[in-house]
Amino acid sequence: MRRLMTIMAFTGGLLGLGNYVWDGWTMASGGRNLYVPSNIVSVLLLVIAGSVAATMLLRDHGRMIEEERKEYRATLALSIATLAILSSWILFRAVRAA
């Protein structure tokens, strides 16, 4: 479960941040822009991974070994940091487009 959450957070971060680092990589072959669906998927992955990691830390903190705690903390930190960066990019793009 903990490895799955780490993979989900990493995937969500790559998907979301990839939209802005490599502008246009989410374009479909017909020229259709897929920023919005890609952002929705990445935010969902990050929120789910962060929520599960936080829940597991709060619920089972006393019964976990140190390695599990470190991995859940890293997943939580990765999710929060990536969500902050991704939301700032989304807001920047929205302001720039307006």
Side-chain angles (χ1 to χ4, degrees):
M1 180 73 148
R2 61 190 167 147
R3 301 238 191 261
L4 177 64
M5 292 304 107
T6 305
I7 291 169
M8 283 178 63
F10 188 71
T11 303
L14 284 179
L15 180 64
L17 296 176
N19 282 340
Y20 300 98
V21 174
W22 295 286
D23 195 30
W25 76 276
T26 57
M27 297 291 277
S29 61
R32 198 174 61 172
N33 190 344
L34 299 175
Y35 279 117
V36 174
S38 177
N39 284 337
I40 291 170
V41 169
S42 73
V43 167
L44 283 175
L45 286 171
L46 290 167
V47 167
I48 290 169
S51 299
V52 169
T55 302
M56 294 300 289
L57 278 171
L58 290 172
R59 190 182 68 177
D60 296 332
H61 191 309
R63 292 179 281 178
M64 284 184 191
I65 60 174
E66 187 61 30
E67 181 183 324
E68 287 177 325
R69 269 187 245 131
K70 284 181 182 178
E71 196 161 336
Y72 279 124
R73 285 181 190 144
T75 300
L76 186 59
L78 176 66
S79 296
I80 290 170
T82 307
L83 273 172
I85 294 168
L86 182 60
S87 62
S88 68
W89 270 108
I90 290 170
L91 289 173
F92 174 75
R93 185 171 175 85
V95 168
R96 193 176 75 183

